[in-house]
Amino acid sequence: ILNVEQSPQSLHVQEGDSTNFTCSFPSSNFYALHWYRWETAKSPEALFVMTLNGDEKKKGRISATLNTKEGYSYLYIKGSQPEDSATYLCAFSRGSGGGADGLTFGKGTHLIIQP
Amino acid sequence: NAGVTQTPKFQVLKTGQSMTLQCAQDMNHEYMSWYRQDPGMGLRLIHYSVGAGITDQGEVPNGYNVSRSTTEDFPLRLLSAAPSQTSVYFCASIDVGRSDTGELFFGEGSRLTVL
């Protein structure tokens, strides 16, 4: 069983502040690292899928980095807005199965943006 | 765009009853999977399918059956419901041609309570 750890478990941030949180995963047999955003009463939606060590991806005010050698990824949110409030999930896949035979998910970071 | 459609959204069962959670996608995705979400835990893979006629077990398959007779449909069957199967269930599919690193597309979830 793979362990994907996310920290912190929850986070309160003032509107306008920037924030980041961490996903750690096994560094052996790495294939891909996914980030999903999950709003209350909705289904998770993909933010990023990263495969290469050193990858950096950006979507608007949200960006992510990947270090496969040490087994961690950071998600950054710049200038937090109330609509950023959500649970952010990371998920790891190993080997050639990739996402097809399932991802191992962390428990998520629950982000609350306070006006 | 329908995407991934799950039914029912809510269901209450008595212990020992059987039922089927339906999942359909209209994106021509070869890969489909079922996850369950429990409090304090990450999404856990129940079963997955890499194409019509092919299914395999995930991390927590006991008590569940699946079949994949068409590309579009991937129903999840609970043979004899138990209180431990009280959970929120998500169906997800993966983009064709990006099976190894493609993002998951989730349905809206089905909340099941077993009394």
Side-chain angles (χ1 to χ4, degrees):
Chain A
I1 295 178
L2 306 174
N3 283 327
V4 178
E5 303 288 341
Q6 291 189 248
S7 63
Q9 188 174 355
S10 66
L11 190 56
H12 288 71
V13 175
Q14 288 296 123
E15 182 178 354
D17 288 351
S18 297
T19 188
N20 65 85
F21 27 93
T22 307
C23 173
S24 62
F25 53 87
S27 55
S28 60
N29 295 329
F30 173 85
Y31 202 87
L33 193 283
H34 296 222
W35 281 101
Y36 292 85
R37 169 191 162 90
W38 191 1
E39 293 181 71
T40 302
K42 295 186 178 180
S43 51
E45 292 185 345
L47 287 171
F48 307 113
V49 178
M50 296 184 288
T51 58
L52 299 176
N53 184 45
D55 249 356
E56 292 188 28
K57 295 210 172 181
K58 186 176 181 181
K59 184 181 290 188
R61 294 179 292 99
I62 303 177
S63 61
T65 61
L66 179 66
N67 183 323
T68 61
K69 295 185 188 303
E70 297 182 37
Y72 65 84
S73 175
Y74 293 132
L75 190 79
Y76 300 91
I77 301 178
K78 185 177 180 181
S80 303
Q81 298 297 311
E83 58 265 30
D84 296 328
S85 295
T87 297
Y88 291 83
L89 302 175
C90 84
F92 163 84
S93 66
R94 164 179 280 182
S96 60
D101 58 358
L103 299 172
T104 300
F105 282 84
K107 296 179 184 179
T109 291
H110 184 51
L111 176 65
I112 298 171
I113 306 301
Q114 297 170 321
Chain B
N1 294 333
V4 180
T5 303
Q6 287 182 235
T7 56
K9 289 187 168 48
F10 301 94
Q11 183 72 50
V12 178
L13 291 177
K14 294 182 180 178
T15 297
Q17 287 185 314
S18 62
M19 77 157 297
T20 299
L21 298 176
Q22 301 290 346
C23 177
Q25 52 91 9
D26 60 0
M27 298 175 283
N28 200 30
H29 289 175
E30 291 291 331
Y31 302 92
M32 298 184 72
S33 50
W34 277 101
Y35 289 85
R36 59 179 287 175
Q37 170 71 54
D38 300 297
M41 306 191 74
L43 289 161
R44 291 184 293 168
L45 181 67
I46 304 171
H47 284 284
Y48 66 97
S49 169
V50 298
I54 306 170
T55 64
D56 209 340
Q57 297 180 349
E59 181 185 352
V60 287
N62 292 341
Y64 307 95
N65 272 359
V66 291
S67 59
R68 187 91 181 273
S69 56
T70 67
T71 299
E72 293 77 22
D73 299 300
F74 190 43
L76 179 72
R77 296 183 187 85
L78 281 70
L79 306 174
S80 177
S84 60
Q85 294 178 302
T86 294
S87 188
V88 180
Y89 293 84
F90 286 94
C91 179
S93 68
I94 299 175
D95 194 6
V96 171
R98 300 176 61 194
S99 59
D100 286 344
T101 60
E103 63 196 61
L104 290 174
F105 290 79
F106 286 89
E108 293 184 339
S110 299
R111 184 175 293 275
L112 175 66
T113 301
V114 183
L115 303 175

